[in-house]
PDB file of all heavy atoms in Angstrom:
ATOM      1  N   ARG A  19     104.179 102.051  92.982  1.00 97.00           N
ATOM      2  CA  ARG A  19     104.778 101.684  91.637  1.00 97.00           C
ATOM      3  C   ARG A  19     104.164 100.361  91.209  1.00 97.00           C
ATOM      4  O   ARG A  19     104.241  99.376  92.076  1.00 97.00           O
ATOM      5  CB  ARG A  19     106.370 101.566  91.828  1.00 97.00           C
ATOM      6  CG  ARG A  19     106.958 102.868  92.118  1.00 97.00           C
ATOM      7  CD  ARG A  19     108.413 102.616  92.622  1.00 97.00           C
ATOM      8  NE  ARG A  19     108.521 101.738  93.763  1.00 97.00           N
ATOM      9  CZ  ARG A  19     109.621 101.122  94.054  1.00 97.00           C
ATOM     10  NH1 ARG A  19     110.726 101.142  93.320  1.00 97.00           N
ATOM     11  NH2 ARG A  19     109.633 100.373  95.160  1.00 97.00           N
ATOM     12  N   PHE A  20     103.679 100.205  90.006  1.00 98.00           N
ATOM     13  CA  PHE A  20     102.980  98.999  89.622  1.00 98.00           C
ATOM     14  C   PHE A  20     103.881  98.075  88.735  1.00 98.00           C
ATOM     15  O   PHE A  20     104.622  98.620  87.813  1.00 98.00           O
ATOM     16  CB  PHE A  20     101.697  99.352  88.754  1.00 98.00           C
ATOM     17  CG  PHE A  20     100.519  99.778  89.581  1.00 98.00           C
ATOM     18  CD1 PHE A  20     100.555 101.021  90.325  1.00 98.00           C
ATOM     19  CD2 PHE A  20      99.431  98.998  89.746  1.00 98.00           C
ATOM     20  CE1 PHE A  20      99.498 101.456  91.052  1.00 98.00           C
ATOM     21  CE2 PHE A  20      98.379  99.318  90.510  1.00 98.00           C
ATOM     22  CZ  PHE A  20      98.327 100.626  91.206  1.00 98.00           C
ATOM     23  N   ALA A  21     103.733  96.749  88.858  1.00 98.00           N
ATOM     24  CA  ALA A  21     104.323  95.809  87.935  1.00 98.00           C
ATOM     25  C   ALA A  21     103.314  94.764  87.604  1.00 98.00           C
ATOM     26  O   ALA A  21     102.506  94.406  88.366  1.00 98.00           O
ATOM     27  CB  ALA A  21     105.532  95.185  88.582  1.00 98.00           C
ATOM     28  N   VAL A  22     103.312  94.452  86.324  1.00 98.00           N
ATOM     29  CA  VAL A  22     102.512  93.333  85.726  1.00 98.00           C
ATOM     30  C   VAL A  22     103.310  92.129  85.474  1.00 98.00           C
ATOM     31  O   VAL A  22     104.420  92.346  84.789  1.00 98.00           O
ATOM     32  CB  VAL A  22     101.698  93.829  84.553  1.00 98.00           C
ATOM     33  CG1 VAL A  22     100.904  92.761  83.975  1.00 98.00           C
ATOM     34  CG2 VAL A  22     100.888  94.994  84.939  1.00 98.00           C
ATOM     35  N   LEU A  23     102.994  91.022  85.964  1.00 98.00           N
ATOM     36  CA  LEU A  23     103.721  89.806  85.683  1.00 98.00           C
ATOM     37  C   LEU A  23     102.997  88.902  84.680  1.00 98.00           C
ATOM     38  O   LEU A  23     101.901  88.451  84.927  1.00 98.00           O
ATOM     39  CB  LEU A  23     103.947  89.020  86.965  1.00 98.00           C
ATOM     40  CG  LEU A  23     104.558  89.743  88.147  1.00 98.00           C
ATOM     41  CD1 LEU A  23     104.758  88.928  89.298  1.00 98.00           C
ATOM     42  CD2 LEU A  23     105.810  90.512  87.806  1.00 98.00           C
ATOM     43  N   GLY A  24     103.575  88.670  83.499  1.00 97.00           N
ATOM     44  CA  GLY A  24     102.796  87.898  82.486  1.00 97.00           C
ATOM     45  C   GLY A  24     103.018  88.597  81.113  1.00 97.00           C
ATOM     46  O   GLY A  24     103.036  89.727  81.045  1.00 97.00           O
ATOM     47  N   GLY A  25     103.011  87.717  80.082  1.00 96.00           N
ATOM     48  CA  GLY A  25     103.197  88.284  78.700  1.00 96.00           C
ATOM     49  C   GLY A  25     102.045  87.914  77.749  1.00 96.00           C
ATOM     50  O   GLY A  25     102.120  88.137  76.604  1.00 96.00           O
ATOM     51  N   GLY A  26     100.941  87.344  78.287  1.00 94.00           N
ATOM     52  CA  GLY A  26      99.853  86.958  77.457  1.00 94.00           C
ATOM     53  C   GLY A  26      98.893  88.066  77.121  1.00 94.00           C
ATOM     54  O   GLY A  26      99.060  89.314  77.461  1.00 94.00           O
ATOM     55  N   SER A  27      97.697  87.789  76.628  1.00 94.00           N
ATOM     56  CA  SER A  27      96.727  88.721  76.295  1.00 94.00           C
ATOM     57  C   SER A  27      96.105  89.461  77.383  1.00 94.00           C
ATOM     58  O   SER A  27      96.055  90.727  77.403  1.00 94.00           O
ATOM     59  CB  SER A  27      95.636  88.161  75.393  1.00 94.00           C
ATOM     60  OG  SER A  27      95.012  86.989  76.148  1.00 94.00           O
ATOM     61  N   TRP A  28      95.782  88.784  78.493  1.00 95.00           N
ATOM     62  CA  TRP A  28      95.289  89.594  79.693  1.00 95.00           C
ATOM     63  C   TRP A  28      96.325  90.534  80.416  1.00 95.00           C
ATOM     64  O   TRP A  28      96.014  91.648  80.637  1.00 95.00           O
ATOM     65  CB  TRP A  28      94.691  88.612  80.621  1.00 95.00           C
ATOM     66  CG  TRP A  28      93.838  89.142  81.787  1.00 95.00           C
ATOM     67  CD1 TRP A  28      93.854  88.681  83.044  1.00 95.00           C
ATOM     68  CD2 TRP A  28      92.848  90.215  81.693  1.00 95.00           C
ATOM     69  NE1 TRP A  28      92.927  89.405  83.779  1.00 95.00           N
ATOM     70  CE2 TRP A  28      92.368  90.346  82.997  1.00 95.00           C
ATOM     71  CE3 TRP A  28      92.451  91.079  80.546  1.00 95.00           C
ATOM     72  CZ2 TRP A  28      91.330  91.284  83.272  1.00 95.00           C
ATOM     73  CZ3 TRP A  28      91.408  91.966  80.975  1.00 95.00           C
ATOM     74  CH2 TRP A  28      90.975  92.086  82.178  1.00 95.00           C
ATOM     75  N   ALA A  29      97.576  90.003  80.441  1.00 97.00           N
ATOM     76  CA  ALA A  29      98.672  90.905  80.896  1.00 97.00           C
ATOM     77  C   ALA A  29      98.885  92.117  79.898  1.00 97.00           C
ATOM     78  O   ALA A  29      98.957  93.237  80.575  1.00 97.00           O
ATOM     79  CB  ALA A  29      99.896  90.125  80.947  1.00 97.00           C
ATOM     80  N   THR A  30      98.762  91.954  78.742  1.00 98.00           N
ATOM     81  CA  THR A  30      98.922  92.967  77.722  1.00 98.00           C
ATOM     82  C   THR A  30      97.796  94.043  77.891  1.00 98.00           C
ATOM     83  O   THR A  30      98.052  95.260  77.896  1.00 98.00           O
ATOM     84  CB  THR A  30      98.847  92.416  76.329  1.00 98.00           C
ATOM     85  OG1 THR A  30     100.039  91.405  76.212  1.00 98.00           O
ATOM     86  CG2 THR A  30      99.197  93.583  75.274  1.00 98.00           C
ATOM     87  N   ALA A  31      96.681  93.512  78.155  1.00 98.00           N
ATOM     88  CA  ALA A  31      95.427  94.370  78.272  1.00 98.00           C
ATOM     89  C   ALA A  31      95.529  95.189  79.569  1.00 98.00           C
ATOM     90  O   ALA A  31      95.252  96.428  79.662  1.00 98.00           O
ATOM     91  CB  ALA A  31      94.121  93.484  78.302  1.00 98.00           C
ATOM     92  N   ILE A  32      96.019  94.546  80.648  1.00 98.00           N
ATOM     93  CA  ILE A  32      96.219  95.268  81.886  1.00 98.00           C
ATOM     94  C   ILE A  32      97.264  96.335  81.771  1.00 98.00           C
ATOM     95  O   ILE A  32      97.130  97.443  82.333  1.00 98.00           O
ATOM     96  CB  ILE A  32      96.570  94.342  83.007  1.00 98.00           C
ATOM     97  CG1 ILE A  32      95.338  93.386  83.337  1.00 98.00           C
ATOM     98  CG2 ILE A  32      96.981  94.963  84.291  1.00 98.00           C
ATOM     99  CD1 ILE A  32      95.603  92.279  84.233  1.00 98.00           C
ATOM    100  N   VAL A  33      98.343  96.061  81.146  1.00 98.00           N
ATOM    101  CA  VAL A  33      99.383  97.052  80.963  1.00 98.00           C
ATOM    102  C   VAL A  33      98.829  98.218  80.118  1.00 98.00           C
ATOM    103  O   VAL A  33      99.125  99.397  80.456  1.00 98.00           O
ATOM    104  CB  VAL A  33     100.585  96.436  80.228  1.00 98.00           C
ATOM    105  CG1 VAL A  33     101.591  97.594  79.855  1.00 98.00           C
ATOM    106  CG2 VAL A  33     101.299  95.439  81.172  1.00 98.00           C
ATOM    107  N   LYS A  34      97.985  97.969  79.128  1.00 98.00           N
ATOM    108  CA  LYS A  34      97.422  99.029  78.376  1.00 98.00           C
ATOM    109  C   LYS A  34      96.556  99.891  79.268  1.00 98.00           C
ATOM    110  O   LYS A  34      96.590 101.082  79.260  1.00 98.00           O
ATOM    111  CB  LYS A  34      96.590  98.415  77.195  1.00 98.00           C
ATOM    112  CG  LYS A  34      95.723  99.478  76.493  1.00 98.00           C
ATOM    113  CD  LYS A  34      94.927  98.897  75.395  1.00 98.00           C
ATOM    114  CE  LYS A  34      93.804  99.789  74.875  1.00 98.00           C
ATOM    115  NZ  LYS A  34      94.347 101.048  74.375  1.00 98.00           N
ATOM    116  N   MET A  35      95.749  99.230  80.118  1.00 98.00           N
ATOM    117  CA  MET A  35      94.876  99.956  81.070  1.00 98.00           C
ATOM    118  C   MET A  35      95.666 100.963  82.005  1.00 98.00           C
ATOM    119  O   MET A  35      95.424 102.055  82.215  1.00 98.00           O
ATOM    120  CB  MET A  35      94.018  99.090  81.823  1.00 98.00           C
ATOM    121  CG  MET A  35      92.853  98.461  81.061  1.00 98.00           C
ATOM    122  SD  MET A  35      91.741  97.332  82.102  1.00 98.00           S
ATOM    123  CE  MET A  35      92.437  95.702  81.807  1.00 98.00           C
ATOM    124  N   LEU A  36      96.820 100.369  82.542  1.00 98.00           N
ATOM    125  CA  LEU A  36      97.628 100.999  83.407  1.00 98.00           C
ATOM    126  C   LEU A  36      98.308 102.299  82.785  1.00 98.00           C
ATOM    127  O   LEU A  36      98.486 103.369  83.446  1.00 98.00           O
ATOM    128  CB  LEU A  36      98.645 100.207  84.060  1.00 98.00           C
ATOM    129  CG  LEU A  36      98.143  99.113  85.031  1.00 98.00           C
ATOM    130  CD1 LEU A  36      99.284  98.166  85.463  1.00 98.00           C
ATOM    131  CD2 LEU A  36      97.456  99.718  86.230  1.00 98.00           C
ATOM    132  N   CYS A  37      98.658 102.044  81.520  1.00 98.00           N
ATOM    133  CA  CYS A  37      99.382 103.112  80.772  1.00 98.00           C
ATOM    134  C   CYS A  37      98.496 104.361  80.453  1.00 98.00           C
ATOM    135  O   CYS A  37      99.011 105.427  80.202  1.00 98.00           O
ATOM    136  CB  CYS A  37      99.924 102.635  79.505  1.00 98.00           C
ATOM    137  SG  CYS A  37     101.442 101.578  79.672  1.00 98.00           S
ATOM    138  N   GLU A  38      97.215 104.149  80.680  1.00 97.00           N
ATOM    139  CA  GLU A  38      96.316 105.311  80.576  1.00 97.00           C
ATOM    140  C   GLU A  38      96.416 106.359  81.696  1.00 97.00           C
ATOM    141  O   GLU A  38      96.097 107.439  81.596  1.00 97.00           O
ATOM    142  CB  GLU A  38      94.771 104.845  80.425  1.00 97.00           C
ATOM    143  CG  GLU A  38      94.437 103.915  79.418  1.00 97.00           C
ATOM    144  CD  GLU A  38      94.293 104.634  78.050  1.00 97.00           C
ATOM    145  OE1 GLU A  38      94.447 105.953  77.961  1.00 97.00           O
ATOM    146  OE2 GLU A  38      94.067 104.007  76.981  1.00 97.00           O
ATOM    147  N   ASN A  39      96.952 105.859  82.921  1.00 97.00           N
ATOM    148  CA  ASN A  39      96.996 106.589  84.013  1.00 97.00           C
ATOM    149  C   ASN A  39      98.383 106.810  84.713  1.00 97.00           C
ATOM    150  O   ASN A  39      98.636 107.777  85.356  1.00 97.00           O
ATOM    151  CB  ASN A  39      96.124 105.944  85.185  1.00 97.00           C
ATOM    152  CG  ASN A  39      94.619 105.957  84.652  1.00 97.00           C
ATOM    153  OD1 ASN A  39      93.991 106.956  84.493  1.00 97.00           O
ATOM    154  ND2 ASN A  39      94.102 104.803  84.488  1.00 97.00           N
ATOM    155  N   LEU A  40      99.336 105.904  84.535  1.00 97.00           N
ATOM    156  CA  LEU A  40     100.644 105.821  85.057  1.00 97.00           C
ATOM    157  C   LEU A  40     101.669 106.365  84.200  1.00 97.00           C
ATOM    158  O   LEU A  40     101.661 106.149  83.022  1.00 97.00           O
ATOM    159  CB  LEU A  40     100.978 104.522  85.538  1.00 97.00           C
ATOM    160  CG  LEU A  40      99.903 103.705  86.443  1.00 97.00           C
ATOM    161  CD1 LEU A  40     100.494 102.392  86.912  1.00 97.00           C
ATOM    162  CD2 LEU A  40      99.575 104.610  87.685  1.00 97.00           C
ATOM    163  N   GLU A  41     102.661 106.961  84.804  1.00 96.00           N
ATOM    164  CA  GLU A  41     103.798 107.484  83.992  1.00 96.00           C
ATOM    165  C   GLU A  41     104.703 106.260  83.636  1.00 96.00           C
ATOM    166  O   GLU A  41     105.373 106.370  82.518  1.00 96.00           O
ATOM    167  CB  GLU A  41     104.650 108.482  84.816  1.00 96.00           C
ATOM    168  CG  GLU A  41     103.870 109.844  85.025  1.00 96.00           C
ATOM    169  CD  GLU A  41     104.746 110.883  85.749  1.00 96.00           C
ATOM    170  OE1 GLU A  41     105.701 110.463  86.220  1.00 96.00           O
ATOM    171  OE2 GLU A  41     104.318 112.000  85.696  1.00 96.00           O
ATOM    172  N   GLN A  42     104.793 105.272  84.471  1.00 97.00           N
ATOM    173  CA  GLN A  42     105.642 104.101  84.121  1.00 97.00           C
ATOM    174  C   GLN A  42     105.055 102.890  84.768  1.00 97.00           C
ATOM    175  O   GLN A  42     104.555 102.820  85.880  1.00 97.00           O
ATOM    176  CB  GLN A  42     107.018 104.286  84.620  1.00 97.00           C
ATOM    177  CG  GLN A  42     108.042 103.178  84.149  1.00 97.00           C
ATOM    178  CD  GLN A  42     109.570 103.509  84.305  1.00 97.00           C
ATOM    179  OE1 GLN A  42     109.967 103.443  85.459  1.00 97.00           O
ATOM    180  NE2 GLN A  42     110.197 103.879  83.259  1.00 97.00           N
ATOM    181  N   VAL A  43     105.170 101.794  84.009  1.00 98.00           N
ATOM    182  CA  VAL A  43     104.721 100.433  84.367  1.00 98.00           C
ATOM    183  C   VAL A  43     105.830  99.477  84.240  1.00 98.00           C
ATOM    184  O   VAL A  43     106.337  99.413  83.054  1.00 98.00           O
ATOM    185  CB  VAL A  43     103.407  99.973  83.645  1.00 98.00           C
ATOM    186  CG1 VAL A  43     102.969  98.525  83.995  1.00 98.00           C
ATOM    187  CG2 VAL A  43     102.289 101.031  83.848  1.00 98.00           C
ATOM    188  N   THR A  44     106.146  98.713  85.216  1.00 98.00           N
ATOM    189  CA  THR A  44     107.158  97.594  85.132  1.00 98.00           C
ATOM    190  C   THR A  44     106.391  96.462  84.577  1.00 98.00           C
ATOM    191  O   THR A  44     105.305  96.060  84.992  1.00 98.00           O
ATOM    192  CB  THR A  44     107.830  97.282  86.377  1.00 98.00           C
ATOM    193  OG1 THR A  44     108.512  98.408  86.791  1.00 98.00           O
ATOM    194  CG2 THR A  44     108.736  96.037  86.198  1.00 98.00           C
ATOM    195  N   TRP A  45     106.958  95.756  83.526  1.00 98.00           N
ATOM    196  CA  TRP A  45     106.267  94.649  82.839  1.00 98.00           C
ATOM    197  C   TRP A  45     107.260  93.473  82.710  1.00 98.00           C
ATOM    198  O   TRP A  45     108.264  93.628  82.008  1.00 98.00           O
ATOM    199  CB  TRP A  45     105.797  95.085  81.486  1.00 98.00           C
ATOM    200  CG  TRP A  45     104.903  94.103  80.715  1.00 98.00           C
ATOM    201  CD1 TRP A  45     104.424  92.850  81.234  1.00 98.00           C
ATOM    202  CD2 TRP A  45     104.304  94.344  79.518  1.00 98.00           C
ATOM    203  NE1 TRP A  45     103.640  92.234  80.289  1.00 98.00           N
ATOM    204  CE2 TRP A  45     103.547  93.178  79.164  1.00 98.00           C
ATOM    205  CE3 TRP A  45     104.302  95.319  78.508  1.00 98.00           C
ATOM    206  CZ2 TRP A  45     102.849  93.011  77.953  1.00 98.00           C
ATOM    207  CZ3 TRP A  45     103.651  95.104  77.292  1.00 98.00           C
ATOM    208  CH2 TRP A  45     102.907  94.011  77.059  1.00 98.00           C
ATOM    209  N   TYR A  46     106.874  92.448  83.480  1.00 98.00           N
ATOM    210  CA  TYR A  46     107.748  91.228  83.408  1.00 98.00           C
ATOM    211  C   TYR A  46     107.084  90.244  82.469  1.00 98.00           C
ATOM    212  O   TYR A  46     105.946  89.798  82.548  1.00 98.00           O
ATOM    213  CB  TYR A  46     107.951  90.584  84.764  1.00 98.00           C
ATOM    214  CG  TYR A  46     108.335  89.105  84.621  1.00 98.00           C
ATOM    215  CD1 TYR A  46     109.632  88.789  84.349  1.00 98.00           C
ATOM    216  CD2 TYR A  46     107.478  87.992  84.867  1.00 98.00           C
ATOM    217  CE1 TYR A  46     110.085  87.524  84.285  1.00 98.00           C
ATOM    218  CE2 TYR A  46     107.874  86.699  84.768  1.00 98.00           C
ATOM    219  CZ  TYR A  46     109.162  86.437  84.423  1.00 98.00           C
ATOM    220  OH  TYR A  46     109.601  85.166  84.287  1.00 98.00           O
ATOM    221  N   MET A  47     107.988  89.729  81.598  1.00 96.00           N
ATOM    222  CA  MET A  47     107.589  88.601  80.651  1.00 96.00           C
ATOM    223  C   MET A  47     108.853  87.779  80.427  1.00 96.00           C
ATOM    224  O   MET A  47     109.915  88.294  80.433  1.00 96.00           O
ATOM    225  CB  MET A  47     106.959  89.087  79.353  1.00 96.00           C
ATOM    226  CG  MET A  47     107.802  89.977  78.468  1.00 96.00           C
ATOM    227  SD  MET A  47     106.994  90.259  76.887  1.00 96.00           S
ATOM    228  CE  MET A  47     105.575  91.197  77.369  1.00 96.00           C
ATOM    229  N   ARG A  48     108.656  86.418  80.355  1.00 94.00           N
ATOM    230  CA  ARG A  48     109.846  85.635  80.272  1.00 94.00           C
ATOM    231  C   ARG A  48     110.548  85.590  78.949  1.00 94.00           C
ATOM    232  O   ARG A  48     111.646  85.206  78.853  1.00 94.00           O
ATOM    233  CB  ARG A  48     109.399  84.145  80.679  1.00 94.00           C
ATOM    234  CG  ARG A  48     108.405  83.538  79.778  1.00 94.00           C
ATOM    235  CD  ARG A  48     107.784  82.245  80.334  1.00 94.00           C
ATOM    236  NE  ARG A  48     106.788  81.675  79.446  1.00 94.00           N
ATOM    237  CZ  ARG A  48     106.824  80.460  79.003  1.00 94.00           C
ATOM    238  NH1 ARG A  48     107.910  79.687  79.121  1.00 94.00           N
ATOM    239  NH2 ARG A  48     105.869  80.052  78.241  1.00 94.00           N
ATOM    240  N   SER A  49     109.845  86.036  77.903  1.00 95.00           N
ATOM    241  CA  SER A  49     110.437  86.040  76.536  1.00 95.00           C
ATOM    242  C   SER A  49     111.236  87.331  76.274  1.00 95.00           C
ATOM    243  O   SER A  49     110.628  88.377  76.141  1.00 95.00           O
ATOM    244  CB  SER A  49     109.336  85.887  75.425  1.00 95.00           C
ATOM    245  OG  SER A  49     109.917  86.066  74.263  1.00 95.00           O
ATOM    246  N   SER A  50     112.613  87.156  76.258  1.00 96.00           N
ATOM    247  CA  SER A  50     113.353  88.382  75.899  1.00 96.00           C
ATOM    248  C   SER A  50     113.242  88.769  74.425  1.00 96.00           C
ATOM    249  O   SER A  50     113.305  89.845  74.096  1.00 96.00           O
ATOM    250  CB  SER A  50     114.822  88.023  76.119  1.00 96.00           C
ATOM    251  OG  SER A  50     115.260  86.876  75.389  1.00 96.00           O
ATOM    252  N   GLU A  51     112.795  87.720  73.570  1.00 97.00           N
ATOM    253  CA  GLU A  51     112.527  88.153  72.219  1.00 97.00           C
ATOM    254  C   GLU A  51     111.303  89.012  72.076  1.00 97.00           C
ATOM    255  O   GLU A  51     111.219  89.964  71.286  1.00 97.00           O
ATOM    256  CB  GLU A  51     112.245  86.762  71.380  1.00 97.00           C
ATOM    257  CG  GLU A  51     113.471  85.966  71.200  1.00 97.00           C
ATOM    258  CD  GLU A  51     113.885  85.067  72.310  1.00 97.00           C
ATOM    259  OE1 GLU A  51     113.012  85.095  73.304  1.00 97.00           O
ATOM    260  OE2 GLU A  51     114.857  84.486  72.302  1.00 97.00           O
ATOM    261  N   ALA A  52     110.250  88.680  72.891  1.00 97.00           N
ATOM    262  CA  ALA A  52     109.062  89.556  72.895  1.00 97.00           C
ATOM    263  C   ALA A  52     109.322  90.891  73.355  1.00 97.00           C
ATOM    264  O   ALA A  52     108.820  91.994  72.817  1.00 97.00           O
ATOM    265  CB  ALA A  52     107.976  88.918  73.673  1.00 97.00           C
ATOM    266  N   ILE A  53     110.206  91.026  74.430  1.00 98.00           N
ATOM    267  CA  ILE A  53     110.623  92.348  74.998  1.00 98.00           C
ATOM    268  C   ILE A  53     111.356  93.139  73.892  1.00 98.00           C
ATOM    269  O   ILE A  53     111.112  94.379  73.664  1.00 98.00           O
ATOM    270  CB  ILE A  53     111.485  92.198  76.170  1.00 98.00           C
ATOM    271  CG1 ILE A  53     110.614  91.627  77.340  1.00 98.00           C
ATOM    272  CG2 ILE A  53     112.163  93.447  76.627  1.00 98.00           C
ATOM    273  CD1 ILE A  53     111.508  91.183  78.649  1.00 98.00           C
ATOM    274  N   ALA A  54     112.250  92.616  73.231  1.00 98.00           N
ATOM    275  CA  ALA A  54     113.004  93.229  72.109  1.00 98.00           C
ATOM    276  C   ALA A  54     112.139  93.713  71.069  1.00 98.00           C
ATOM    277  O   ALA A  54     112.188  94.918  70.553  1.00 98.00           O
ATOM    278  CB  ALA A  54     114.071  92.261  71.542  1.00 98.00           C
ATOM    279  N   HIS A  55     111.057  92.985  70.739  1.00 98.00           N
ATOM    280  CA  HIS A  55     110.057  93.309  69.679  1.00 98.00           C
ATOM    281  C   HIS A  55     109.353  94.506  70.157  1.00 98.00           C
ATOM    282  O   HIS A  55     109.010  95.414  69.338  1.00 98.00           O
ATOM    283  CB  HIS A  55     109.234  92.102  69.397  1.00 98.00           C
ATOM    284  CG  HIS A  55     108.225  92.463  68.264  1.00 98.00           C
ATOM    285  ND1 HIS A  55     108.492  92.097  66.990  1.00 98.00           N
ATOM    286  CD2 HIS A  55     107.041  93.025  68.178  1.00 98.00           C
ATOM    287  CE1 HIS A  55     107.542  92.402  66.183  1.00 98.00           C
ATOM    288  NE2 HIS A  55     106.676  92.966  66.908  1.00 98.00           N
ATOM    289  N   ILE A  56     108.849  94.434  71.362  1.00 98.00           N
ATOM    290  CA  ILE A  56     107.982  95.616  71.941  1.00 98.00           C
ATOM    291  C   ILE A  56     108.811  96.916  71.930  1.00 98.00           C
ATOM    292  O   ILE A  56     108.351  97.917  71.558  1.00 98.00           O
ATOM    293  CB  ILE A  56     107.520  95.270  73.367  1.00 98.00           C
ATOM    294  CG1 ILE A  56     106.492  94.062  73.363  1.00 98.00           C
ATOM    295  CG2 ILE A  56     106.837  96.508  74.019  1.00 98.00           C
ATOM    296  CD1 ILE A  56     106.110  93.605  74.665  1.00 98.00           C
ATOM    297  N   LEU A  57     110.122  96.838  72.346  1.00 97.00           N
ATOM    298  CA  LEU A  57     110.888  97.998  72.408  1.00 97.00           C
ATOM    299  C   LEU A  57     111.213  98.539  70.957  1.00 97.00           C
ATOM    300  O   LEU A  57     111.394  99.702  70.796  1.00 97.00           O
ATOM    301  CB  LEU A  57     112.274  97.706  73.065  1.00 97.00           C
ATOM    302  CG  LEU A  57     112.174  97.339  74.604  1.00 97.00           C
ATOM    303  CD1 LEU A  57     113.550  96.856  75.089  1.00 97.00           C
ATOM    304  CD2 LEU A  57     111.747  98.643  75.271  1.00 97.00           C
ATOM    305  N   ARG A  58     111.264  97.568  70.022  1.00 97.00           N
ATOM    306  CA  ARG A  58     111.543  97.994  68.629  1.00 97.00           C
ATOM    307  C   ARG A  58     110.345  98.439  67.886  1.00 97.00           C
ATOM    308  O   ARG A  58     110.297  99.461  67.204  1.00 97.00           O
ATOM    309  CB  ARG A  58     112.231  96.807  67.879  1.00 97.00           C
ATOM    310  CG  ARG A  58     112.701  97.155  66.473  1.00 97.00           C
ATOM    311  CD  ARG A  58     113.387  96.020  65.930  1.00 97.00           C
ATOM    312  NE  ARG A  58     112.574  94.819  65.703  1.00 97.00           N
ATOM    313  CZ  ARG A  58     112.607  93.678  66.366  1.00 97.00           C
ATOM    314  NH1 ARG A  58     113.489  93.565  67.402  1.00 97.00           N
ATOM    315  NH2 ARG A  58     111.857  92.676  66.237  1.00 97.00           N
ATOM    316  N   GLU A  59     109.116  97.705  67.996  1.00 97.00           N
ATOM    317  CA  GLU A  59     107.979  97.988  67.239  1.00 97.00           C
ATOM    318  C   GLU A  59     106.834  98.574  68.044  1.00 97.00           C
ATOM    319  O   GLU A  59     105.815  99.041  67.423  1.00 97.00           O
ATOM    320  CB  GLU A  59     107.498  96.649  66.584  1.00 97.00           C
ATOM    321  CG  GLU A  59     108.562  95.940  65.811  1.00 97.00           C
ATOM    322  CD  GLU A  59     108.934  96.616  64.488  1.00 97.00           C
ATOM    323  OE1 GLU A  59     108.148  97.520  64.029  1.00 97.00           O
ATOM    324  OE2 GLU A  59     110.036  96.343  63.981  1.00 97.00           O
ATOM    325  N   GLY A  60     106.875  98.537  69.362  1.00 97.00           N
ATOM    326  CA  GLY A  60     105.874  99.150  70.181  1.00 97.00           C
ATOM    327  C   GLY A  60     104.642  98.414  70.400  1.00 97.00           C
ATOM    328  O   GLY A  60     103.614  98.809  70.760  1.00 97.00           O
TER     329      GLY A  60
END
């Protein structure tokens, strides 16, 4: 089970790469506003 820690450009790129292969990726970022936006807008 993979988790990525970070909310910047490199973290975002790594999550994108992992999502090509994994069914689920845990993604930690400190901004709850950014999390809400991702859940809403993708």
Side-chain angles (χ1 to χ4, degrees):
R19 298 171 301 160
F20 282 71
V22 177
L23 310 182
S27 57
W28 191 218
T30 304
I32 290 171
V33 173
K34 172 180 168 58
M35 288 184 258
L36 292 175
C37 283
E38 299 284 358
N39 299 295
L40 307 182
E41 292 183 348
Q42 189 168 73
V43 178
T44 297
W45 188 1
Y46 162 74
M47 57 175 66
R48 59 191 177 120
S49 171
S50 56
E51 291 81 6
I53 289 173
H55 185 97
I56 294 170
L57 290 172
R58 185 175 64 252
E59 305 292 340

